[in-house]
Amino acid sequence: MKDATAGFQAEGYTAHTGGADLAYFDLDAEARILSRNAVAQQFLNANPHYVTYITYNGAEVFTVTPIQPFLQALKSACDRFHPVSTVLSPVRNTDDPFLQINVLPFHAGVARVVLFWSNPKISVEEATYPKLTARERAVLELAASGLRRDRIAHKLNISLPTVDMHSRNLRRKLSAMTTVEAVAVAVKMRLLEGYVFYKVEPHRTE
């Protein structure tokens, strides 16, 4: 794989090296976020304007400015036959927190975007233990108790789309692909300690 950095210098980026907090996202060719690590979630918590939500399917799209060199780098990394890695960094001083962006082929159709950024105001604890709303916690508790989404909706007196919205938020904040995985992550983080779970009655058939 070759380094395509030079082709992006005219767009406002050049190669850069240096230490910083390391975050990564796995993106498809359209910049939709497939997964992220805890530091990446920390970055989004501090800079929510770098993600756009697609209403009709709940997808999250990661974007940076200038957008064209980033999308070109993403497209090159996602190429199924001749993937190319790219290193991007601001040429001039900007308000962006980025020190460097590495766009790397991960596997077919997926790129790993590694961010080097600096924000000393946010602690590692905030990255490891994301802030959940009261409703998100309620959905998480009920999901951990084994309730299906329809039972969660009934228990909380909310609609199924609202349950799905909170579940998406939980998966995003806990860097999980499924709600079951989100529950497992929450247990590991001890986010569910001290909560009383609802008893799940066995399903009976007549």
Side-chain angles (χ1 to χ4, degrees):
M1 298 176 188
K2 66 179 180 178
D3 186 345
T5 304
F8 291 87
Q9 292 183 13
E11 297 284 355
Y13 289 94
T14 187
H16 176 84
T17 58
D21 291 332
L22 185 63
Y24 70 78
F25 298 87
D26 294 333
L27 308 180
D28 66 12
E30 297 180 2
R32 289 176 294 205
I33 300 174
L34 305 177
S35 64
R36 77 206 88 191
N37 69 348
V39 181
Q41 186 59 55
Q42 176 186 8
F43 174 83
L44 290 184
N45 289 344
N47 304 278
H49 55 285
Y50 284 101
V51 65
T52 300
Y53 298 93
I54 301 177
T55 305
Y56 72 89
N57 62 6
E60 301 169 288
V61 177
F62 183 77
T63 57
V64 298
T65 303
I67 187 62
Q68 288 306 318
F70 175 71
L71 290 180
Q72 182 58 48
L74 195 60
K75 181 180 178 181
S76 297
C78 289
D79 190 287
R80 294 177 181 272
F81 301 103
H82 303 289
V84 176
S85 61
T86 305
V87 179
L88 306 174
S89 290
V91 172
R92 55 189 179 277
N93 292 329
T94 67
D95 294 330
D96 288 341
F98 302 120
L99 298 178
Q100 180 170 301
I101 306 174
N102 293 2
V103 184
L104 312 171
F106 189 45
H107 54 76
V110 178
R112 172 152 291 183
V113 176
V114 182
L115 306 180
F116 296 84
W117 68 292
S118 181
N119 192 335
K121 295 181 180 179
I122 298 182
S123 66
V124 174
E125 183 177 358
E126 287 179 273
T128 307
Y129 301 99
K131 295 180 180 178
L132 304 181
T133 67
R135 187 64 83 187
E136 288 167 355
R137 282 189 177 277
V139 171
L140 181 63
E141 291 174 50
L142 294 174
S145 298
L147 290 183
R148 301 187 306 270
R149 53 195 286 270
D150 58 331
R151 297 283 301 278
I152 293 175
H154 176 74
K155 184 73 71 172
L156 298 178
N157 194 28
I158 57 178
S159 66
L160 282 175
T162 301
V163 172
D164 292 339
M165 178 192 70
H166 291 310
S167 297
R168 285 196 302 270
N169 289 340
L170 287 168
R171 293 194 296 271
R172 173 175 59 84
K173 291 182 178 181
L174 296 172
S175 302
M177 296 297 291
T178 65
T179 301
V180 172
E181 184 182 354
V183 170
V185 171
V187 170
K188 288 182 179 180
M189 290 182 173
R190 299 184 178 180
L191 296 178
L192 294 170
E193 288 188 351
Y195 290 92
V196 178
F197 295 107
Y198 290 93
K199 181 180 179 182
V200 181
E201 298 295 339
H203 178 69
R204 299 176 180 176
T205 56
E206 298 298 334

